[in-house]
Amino acid sequence: MAHRNPEVDEYLKKKNHPLEAEIQRVREIILHTHPDIEETIKWSSPTFMYKGNMASYFMNAKKHVSLMFHKGALINDTTGLLQGDGKEARTAKFGSMEDIENRKKDLESVVLAWIKMRDDS
């Protein structure tokens, strides 16, 4: 996996989340979307970075994979993947592996929209 961070591997192993396979799949999709995406542990959670903080897992969610895009309100999401109406953050939620695979292109689109926005600024 491109830019896979061993600290994130260790964190996820210790966390022993019931949806670990789904979390790993979302992680794989995001890291393969662009070669310059990195990951770290920030705010006690795996966080994806591209010219700033892009998104972090909400690890307390146990029935779905929850990924918060910190400045998601700024992303031009034409897919409808991002939920919420807060001033800044938006959330992507995936309930199953099938849901992840069905929304894979949407997730890639949102990540690429973030990258384009950051590159254009």
Side-chain angles (χ1 to χ4, degrees):
M1 211 181 294
H3 296 287
R4 187 176 178 140
N5 184 334
E7 287 180 41
V8 175
D9 290 330
E10 199 56 36
Y11 174 93
L12 291 172
K13 185 177 171 184
K14 287 179 183 173
K15 192 71 173 173
N16 195 26
H17 195 281
L19 297 174
E20 183 173 353
E22 289 82 356
I23 288 169
Q24 291 286 3
R25 181 63 182 131
V26 168
R27 180 182 181 204
E28 178 182 290
I29 291 167
I30 292 172
L31 290 175
H32 278 97
T33 299
H34 192 281
D36 293 333
I37 293 174
E38 297 178 350
E39 61 180 358
T40 190
I41 301 295
K42 202 166 190 180
W43 306 291
S44 300
S45 183
T47 299
F48 297 99
M49 315 276 292
Y50 180 86
K51 295 184 180 179
N53 304 313
M54 180 174 50
S56 297
Y57 286 108
F58 179 66
M59 296 300 293
N60 291 335
K62 302 294 185 204
K63 296 187 186 292
H64 58 268
V65 176
S66 182
L67 190 63
M68 181 184 71
F69 285 80
H70 303 283
K71 302 281 187 180
L74 301 176
I75 296 173
N76 181 19
D77 173 23
T78 60
T79 71
L81 178 69
L82 298 181
Q83 303 170 16
D85 57 5
K87 184 178 176 185
E88 294 188 351
R90 295 289 184 271
T91 304
K93 295 180 182 177
F94 305 94
S96 65
M97 195 64 82
E98 180 181 13
D99 189 23
I100 294 166
E101 295 305 330
N102 289 340
R103 303 295 312 257
K104 178 180 184 274
K105 296 284 185 216
D106 297 341
L107 178 57
E108 291 168 338
S109 175
V110 166
V111 169
L112 290 172
W114 169 265
I115 289 168
K116 180 176 179 356
M117 180 185 70
R118 298 301 293 171
D119 285 349
D120 291 348
S121 61

